[in-house]
Amino acid sequence: MEKVAFLGLGVMGYPMAGHLRAAGYDVSVFNRTKARADAWVAQHGGAAAATPAEAAEGCAMVFSCVGNDDDVRQVILGQDGAFTAMAAGSILIDHTTASAVLARELDAAGKERGIGVLDAPVSGGQAGAENGKLTVMVGGDPAVFDRAEAAMNVFAKAVRLMGPAGHGQLTKMVNQICIAGVVQGLSEGIHFAKQAGLDPRAVVDVIRHGAAQSWQMENRYETMTDGRFEHGFAVNWMRKDLGMTLDESRRNGAHLPLTALIDQFYGEVQGLGGGRWDTSSLIARLEAMTRRD
């Protein structure tokens, strides 16, 4: 069994690490909340480590999936970070949705140590992670990608190298731009249907077979209609992603007026107490506005 480490056992990392273990990898895990790592080991076997460095010791590949740029720097570049223990020739695969700036920083730090680095954010949400159906968009060196692709395929339905360091994160930004626009449009459509006296479920059942169809429509229209927002990716995390995307757009000159506006809308959802609601909660803002009117 090839020895690997997984750093970060949140709603995504926990099942992703589990798929690696089920595929026959010898997995060592680290999580800042130790009880979470202990629970993973109790369920899957493997070993829990006290530090990222301890988890990474002797591993051919180290996977990470944590919260933001600062979290990645801590677990990879920190005093007890993975890079302090990883050997030349090993590979870091960072699945965190982070900035392209950080991806390039990690790539440069890895090259100094002879460590291959891939920025490899994922899409598909908690359900995709649990079912092994994630989409992985990767930036890095093709030779490093070739060595790591099979391991990523364990928890993915699609894995693609998008270009050099940072291009995985840039592709994930495109993903978030598109999702934000679709969710806002769906929110407005369902809200309009309610205000017009239509049955939103009947409306969607008709239009889902035409050009308006989307993943969000198929998977979220019922919970949006009912005002239930406990599914999937949280508003707080979406605002983090959109913030990085808008920062990057200022660097590359892209014009993202709709994305900037929807980011503000998500800020209003946070103001309603919905920071931990899923991203489909944009409709709650519209309904709150109607109640005020």
Side-chain angles (χ1 to χ4, degrees):
M1 293 190 295
E2 190 169 28
K3 186 177 180 184
V4 303
F6 207 104
L7 314 178
L9 299 175
V11 295
M12 303 294 286
Y14 193 104
M16 291 165 73
H19 288 299
L20 288 167
R21 178 66 177 171
Y25 289 90
D26 178 8
V27 184
S28 175
V29 296
F30 167 80
N31 196 68
R32 284 176 294 186
T33 303
K34 186 176 183 297
R36 182 82 169 167
D38 292 340
W40 188 92
V41 171
Q43 181 177 351
H44 297 287
T51 66
E54 182 182 320
E57 182 73 37
C59 289
M61 289 179 284
V62 174
F63 300 80
S64 55
C65 190
V66 292
N68 55 36
D69 283 23
D70 289 340
D71 295 329
V72 176
R73 288 189 178 95
Q74 181 180 358
V75 300
I76 304 302
L77 303 174
Q79 182 176 355
D80 295 313
F83 271 6
T84 64
M86 292 175 67
S90 61
I91 299 173
L92 170 71
I93 306 157
D94 182 32
H95 293 298
T96 309
T97 296
S99 70
V101 171
L102 174 66
R104 298 179 189 114
E105 178 184 333
L106 291 176
D107 182 68
K111 282 182 167 61
E112 291 178 358
R113 298 165 171 82
I115 297 169
V117 176
L118 300 173
D119 55 287
V122 300
S123 181
Q126 183 176 350
E130 291 172 350
N131 296 323
K133 300 294 184 182
L134 292 170
T135 297
V136 188
M137 45 218 93
V138 187
D141 184 87
V144 177
F145 174 81
D146 289 345
R147 291 168 53 203
E149 183 180 10
M152 290 185 283
N153 274 319
V154 165
F155 44 72
K157 65 178 179 181
V159 180
R160 181 164 180 171
L161 181 65
M162 304 307 300
H167 280 222
Q169 298 296 353
L170 293 172
T171 303
K172 179 62 182 285
M173 292 176 193
V174 176
N175 185 78
Q176 303 305 70
I177 291 168
C178 294
I179 288 174
V182 169
V183 174
Q184 178 64 19
L186 181 59
S187 297
E188 292 185 16
I190 293 173
H191 176 65
F192 179 91
K194 288 182 175 182
Q195 292 300 111
L198 296 168
D199 177 354
R201 287 179 168 80
V203 170
V204 172
D205 193 50
V206 171
I207 69 173
R208 69 194 294 188
H209 301 291
Q213 190 274 342
S214 68
W215 185 97
Q216 297 291 336
M217 181 178 286
E218 294 292 331
N219 291 275
R220 292 288 178 264
Y221 84 93
E222 289 193 301
T223 53
M224 291 170 73
T225 299
D226 293 340
R228 294 186 286 115
F229 309 120
E230 70 274 19
H231 301 84
F233 193 60
V235 167
N236 287 341
W237 292 116
M238 185 57 141
R239 287 217 76 195
K240 179 211 63 164
D241 291 358
L242 294 181
M244 290 189 302
T245 302
L246 293 167
D247 286 345
E248 188 66 34
S249 74
R250 286 185 279 271
R251 282 188 286 269
N252 67 24
H255 299 283
L256 304 178
L258 182 60
T259 302
L261 184 60
I262 297 171
D263 179 55
Q264 293 177 32
F265 292 164
Y266 275 124
E268 293 179 30
V269 174
Q270 289 175 317
L272 295 172
R276 298 183 68 86
W277 294 346
D278 71 62
T279 52
S280 70
S281 58
L282 281 173
I283 193 173
R285 169 187 168 272
L286 300 174
E287 296 186 343
M289 292 171 66
T290 300
R291 288 193 296 271
R292 288 196 296 270
D293 294 342

